[in-house]
């Protein structure tokens, strides 16, 4: 479920080597699109090899939660693409995720002893510590309005509109060769999950299968996010009390393989949340929010990806041998860091050149709330991006959260008119040019002439020639370049640290 903690079924031969290197202090990780034209990388949020597409950013890897979406580009086919295996996490199926969002509490037994894990759990549920943690993960923007204008407010006149979501049961069920869990029989696995922004419930089956959504864990994460983010300290107590709270009892039932008990507690959760919705509590609390915690952003993006891209990830696994058209992604935490460094806000415009399946574009719209554009030329990636956009819109309503406007364009970004026009208004431009040809990079520099003064351009390689005396080095005359280092686990194709640039239009 995956960008605001985030394996693929592609086995890639990798060579491991030990490198001793001193790295600068890691920036605070925060919870993280389809191929462009002619040999270049696109920015999307997930990692998986793709046919001639550009680099994109991807969600948090499973190692970060380890899990959630980012920016991608075409990488040299000779380099190994790091694709986390789906066995690492039930929620990181068929895609890479970054492990930088808080992990959900885990109860290994039903013991009430004063173990270290119990202490950690109690610390996490301490209202003051919990709120402090969420404040650190929430980006505050006084102009941001988080509540979705069409969210269900609990009014009795309307029971809420049915949303066109892809239910979990459509991708993880008995019919998909999954097996029942927690001692349930095949006719007992069906459940429905209530969300805070709608009266429409999602259908799940409490099953488990390779590369499939694990229903019980998905449900636990939803319950935790609802209680931790949507409710006040007092309102959240029945859900998060470390001894008798709903989350604690759900976790206990899961660990004890008590499927019937799990269903009973889930019913209690649904009734409790429904009562709060009826009272207008959820709508009221959302109205005061001015930012969405990165862990929730990552989880929503993972939910979207798991239901649209993951089942068809094979479509991104092809590339032309001998070309630089290989799919790679920037993970969710990397993208969140980029947003913070460029000071992107909800009243700005973000453009991803080579947006792949749209991961980074969606992350910008949800995490920041800004107008977000992307352009991709590979047909399969574009089709998956459109599917993600549709599911994203419905799922944001399910959560009651309003994203910024999303625009996904098809074709060569050098010739696409809507993209060329959006660049004139852009405040932040992402270009994953890790494997772009020098010709394409020069084409981009010419496009940057139309950018407004102060626009930030984020790239993995500098556009300024090493030879400062080069007569054709237009880039050096229009760009001020800052060279930066990203930490380990920030890109899909390697676990090592690396460098990137933020250029400012003079």
């Amino acid at each position: 479920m995956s960008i605001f903690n985030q394996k693929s079924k592609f086995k890639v031969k990798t060579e491991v080597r030990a490198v001793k290197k001193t790295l600068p202090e890691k920036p605070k990780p925060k919870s993280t699109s389809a191929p462009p034209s002619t040999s270049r990388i696109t920015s999307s949020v997930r990692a998986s090899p793709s046919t001639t597409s550009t680099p994109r950013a991807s969600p948090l890897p499973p190692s970060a939660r380890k899990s959630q979406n980012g920016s991608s580009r075409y990488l040299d086919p000779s380099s190994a693409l790091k694709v986390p295996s789906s066995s690492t996490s039930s929620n990181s199926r068929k895609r890479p995720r970054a492990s930088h969002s808080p992990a959900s509490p885990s109860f290994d037994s039903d013991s009430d002893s004063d173990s270290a894990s119990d202490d950690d759990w109690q610390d996490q549920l301490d209202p003051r510590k919990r709120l402090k943690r969420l404040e650190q993960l929430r980006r505050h923007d006084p102009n941001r309005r988080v509540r979705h204008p069409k969210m269900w407010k609990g009014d009795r006149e309307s029971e809420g509109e049915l949303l066109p979501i892809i239910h979990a049961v459509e991708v993880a069920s008995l019919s998909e060769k999954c097996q029942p869990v927690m001692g349930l029989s095949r006719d007992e696995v069906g459940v429905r999950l209530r969300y805070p922004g709608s009266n429409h419930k999602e259908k799940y089956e409490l099953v488990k299968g390779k590369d499939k959504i694990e229903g019980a864990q998905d449900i636990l994460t939803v319950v935790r996010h609802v209680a931790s983010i949507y409710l006040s300290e007092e309102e959240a107590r029945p859900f998060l009390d470390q001894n008798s709270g709903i989350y604690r009892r759900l976790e206990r039932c899961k660990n004890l393989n008590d499927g019937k008990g799990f269903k009973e507690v889930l019913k209690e959760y649904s009734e409790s949340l429904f009562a709060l919705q009826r009272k207008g509590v959820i709508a009221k609390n959302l109205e005061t929010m001015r930012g969405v915690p990165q862990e929730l952003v990552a989880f929503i993006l993972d939910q979207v990806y798991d239901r649209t891209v993951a089942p068809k990830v094979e479509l991104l696994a092809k590339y032309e041998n001998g070309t630089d058209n290989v799919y790679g992604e920037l993970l969710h935490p990397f993208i969140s860091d980029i947003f913070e460094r460029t000071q992107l806000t909800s009243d700005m415009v973000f453009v991803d050149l080579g947006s792949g399946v749209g991961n980074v574009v969606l992350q910008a719209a949800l995490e920041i709330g800004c107008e977000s554009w992307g352009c991709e030329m590979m047909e399969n990636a574009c089709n998956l991006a459109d599917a993600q956009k549709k599911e994203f819109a419905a799922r944001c309503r399910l959560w009651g959260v309003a994203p910024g406007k999303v625009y996904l364009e098809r074709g060569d970004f050098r010739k696409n008119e809507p993209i060329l026009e959006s660049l004139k208004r852009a405040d932040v431009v992402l270009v994953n040019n890790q494997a772009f040809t020098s010709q394409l990079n020069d084409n981009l520099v010419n496009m940057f002439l139309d950018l407004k003064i102060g626009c930030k351009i984020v790239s993995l390689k500098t556009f300024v020639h090493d030879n400062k005396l080069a007569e054709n080095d237009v880039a050096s005359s229009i760009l001020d370049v800052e060279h930066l280092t990203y930490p380990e686990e920030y890109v899909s194709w390697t676990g090592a640290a690396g460098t990137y640039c933020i250029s400012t239009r003079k």
Side-chain angles (χ1 to χ4, degrees):
M1 286 184 311
S2 96
I3 237 202
F4 277 35
N5 295 292
Q6 321 173 312
K7 255 176 177 193
S8 164
K9 63 185 188 180
F10 300 111
K11 295 184 178 179
V12 183
K13 186 177 180 180
T14 60
E15 182 179 17
V16 180
R17 57 177 184 147
V19 179
K20 187 175 182 180
K21 184 175 180 181
T22 302
L23 299 176
E25 183 179 353
K26 294 183 183 180
K28 271 189 180 177
K30 299 157 190 172
S31 309
T32 55
S33 329
S37 64
T38 57
S39 77
R40 57 192 169 92
I41 301 175
T42 57
S43 10
S44 106
V45 182
R46 253 107 222 190
S48 162
S50 114
T51 29
T52 61
S53 81
T54 49
R56 13 206 134 182
S58 87
L60 295 181
S63 56
R65 299 189 251 214
K66 268 184 176 186
S67 149
Q68 242 163 124
N69 248 332
S71 157
S72 61
R73 306 232 174 243
Y74 293 105
L75 307 178
D76 186 337
S78 64
S79 64
L81 176 67
K82 180 183 179 184
V83 182
S85 78
S86 43
S87 60
T88 303
S89 160
S90 63
N91 294 327
S92 58
R93 63 194 188 93
K94 294 187 179 180
R95 63 178 171 176
R97 298 183 186 177
S99 59
H100 295 278
S101 37
S104 45
S106 171
F107 300 102
D108 297 327
S109 70
D110 192 36
S111 169
D112 289 322
S113 63
D114 295 329
S115 64
S117 60
D118 284 340
D119 290 340
D120 292 342
W121 170 235
Q122 292 177 15
D123 284 347
Q124 188 171 14
L125 291 186
D126 180 276
R128 290 168 299 177
K129 294 181 179 180
R130 179 175 62 82
L131 292 176
K132 182 178 180 181
R133 177 174 62 85
L134 290 175
E135 286 306 307
Q136 292 173 339
L137 293 172
R138 192 189 310 250
R139 181 186 301 274
H140 286 278
D141 180 347
N143 297 319
R144 179 85 190 268
R145 295 296 179 269
V146 172
R147 195 187 78 177
H148 199 293
K150 293 184 179 180
M151 78 168 285
W152 185 62
K153 304 174 186 177
D155 52 291
R156 297 180 181 277
E157 294 73 23
S158 169
E159 289 306 309
E161 177 184 349
L162 288 180
L163 301 177
I165 63 169
I166 298 174
H167 292 263
V169 72
E170 296 180 51
V171 293
S173 64
L174 296 173
S175 63
E176 293 290 327
K177 299 181 180 180
C178 293
Q179 297 300 314
V181 296
M182 296 188 289
L184 294 170
S185 63
R186 296 178 67 86
D187 60 352
E188 295 176 320
V189 296
V191 295
R192 290 174 180 259
L193 179 63
R194 177 173 291 278
Y195 284 81
S198 172
N199 195 29
H200 183 44
K201 298 179 183 178
E202 181 172 12
K203 299 175 185 177
Y204 277 83
E205 283 189 3
L206 298 176
V207 296
K208 189 173 184 179
K210 183 179 180 181
D211 291 335
K212 300 295 184 180
I213 296 171
E214 185 184 348
Q217 187 56 53
D218 221 49
I219 289 169
L220 278 167
T221 307
V222 170
V223 172
R224 180 169 59 85
H225 284 323
V226 170
S228 296
I229 297 170
Y230 288 73
L231 304 177
S232 68
E233 176 183 329
E234 185 63 30
E235 294 158 355
R237 186 168 286 112
F239 296 85
L240 298 180
D241 181 86
Q242 58 263 42
N243 296 314
S244 59
I246 289 174
Y247 183 93
R248 169 64 161 165
R249 285 182 285 136
L250 282 171
E251 183 78 15
R252 181 183 293 129
C253 289
K254 179 176 181 291
N255 290 340
L256 295 178
N257 285 321
D258 180 7
K260 292 182 179 179
F262 187 95
K263 292 176 68 174
E264 283 300 315
V265 180
L266 181 59
K267 180 180 179 182
E268 181 183 339
Y269 156 79
S270 181
E271 292 172 349
S272 298
L273 179 57
F274 180 67
L276 291 171
Q277 289 175 308
R278 282 291 198 192
K279 294 177 182 178
V281 170
I282 304 298
K284 180 181 177 182
N285 290 348
L286 274 177
E287 189 63 41
T288 64
M289 290 172 58
R290 292 295 177 267
V292 182
Q294 290 165 9
E295 60 177 339
L296 178 58
V297 169
F299 181 72
I300 294 175
L301 294 177
D302 279 345
Q303 283 193 314
V304 172
Y305 189 95
D306 284 345
R307 290 156 177 75
T308 55
V309 180
K312 301 177 181 179
V313 73
E314 302 80 17
L315 296 176
L316 300 175
K318 305 171 185 177
Y319 63 88
E320 295 179 16
N321 195 24
T323 73
D324 56 358
N325 294 325
V326 178
Y327 186 87
E329 301 172 344
L330 310 184
L331 304 181
H332 283 328
F334 194 0
I335 297 305
S336 291
D337 283 352
I338 287 172
F339 293 160
E340 183 164 332
R341 284 185 177 277
T342 57
Q343 299 183 335
L344 186 64
T345 57
S346 60
D347 54 356
M348 293 182 175
V349 177
F350 172 80
V351 180
D352 183 1
L353 299 178
S355 52
V357 296
N359 291 332
V360 179
V361 178
L362 300 182
Q363 184 174 347
L366 182 55
E367 183 173 341
I368 306 301
C370 64
E371 179 181 330
S372 191
W373 289 76
C375 187
E376 178 55 56
M377 70 178 298
M378 298 307 301
E379 183 178 2
N380 287 345
C382 288
N383 292 338
L384 291 175
D386 287 343
Q388 281 216 101
K389 179 182 177 182
K390 180 179 178 181
E391 178 69 11
F392 175 76
R395 206 151 279 272
C396 282
R397 288 190 60 182
L398 201 62
W399 283 94
V401 175
K405 293 183 179 180
V406 173
Y407 302 91
L408 294 175
E409 292 290 324
R410 294 175 178 238
D412 188 336
F413 56 61
R414 295 171 296 181
K415 302 174 182 178
N416 184 282
E417 285 302 323
I419 288 296
L420 294 177
E421 286 301 313
S422 69
L423 284 172
K424 296 176 182 178
R425 300 184 294 111
D427 296 283
V428 177
V429 177
L430 176 62
V431 187
N432 186 342
N433 62 338
Q434 178 68 33
F436 282 10
T437 62
S438 57
Q439 180 61 54
L440 182 54
N441 279 327
D442 286 343
N443 290 158
L444 283 165
V445 170
N446 290 331
M447 292 171 62
F448 296 159
L449 290 170
D450 290 331
L451 297 179
K452 64 185 181 183
I453 305 302
C455 177
K456 304 288 185 181
I457 305 160
V458 182
S459 59
L460 293 192
K461 288 186 177 181
T462 180
F463 289 99
V464 177
H465 294 301
D466 292 332
N467 180 8
K468 305 279 183 171
L469 300 178
E471 295 182 4
N472 64 339
D473 188 10
V474 177
S476 63
S477 65
I478 66 170
L479 301 176
D480 281 327
V481 184
E482 179 183 8
H483 296 271
L484 302 163
T485 300
Y486 59 79
E488 299 172 355
E489 305 295 336
Y490 261 37
V491 296
S492 68
W493 57 90
T494 177
T499 60
Y500 70 107
C501 304
I502 295 182
S503 304
T504 304
R505 179 70 167 86
K506 297 179 184 179

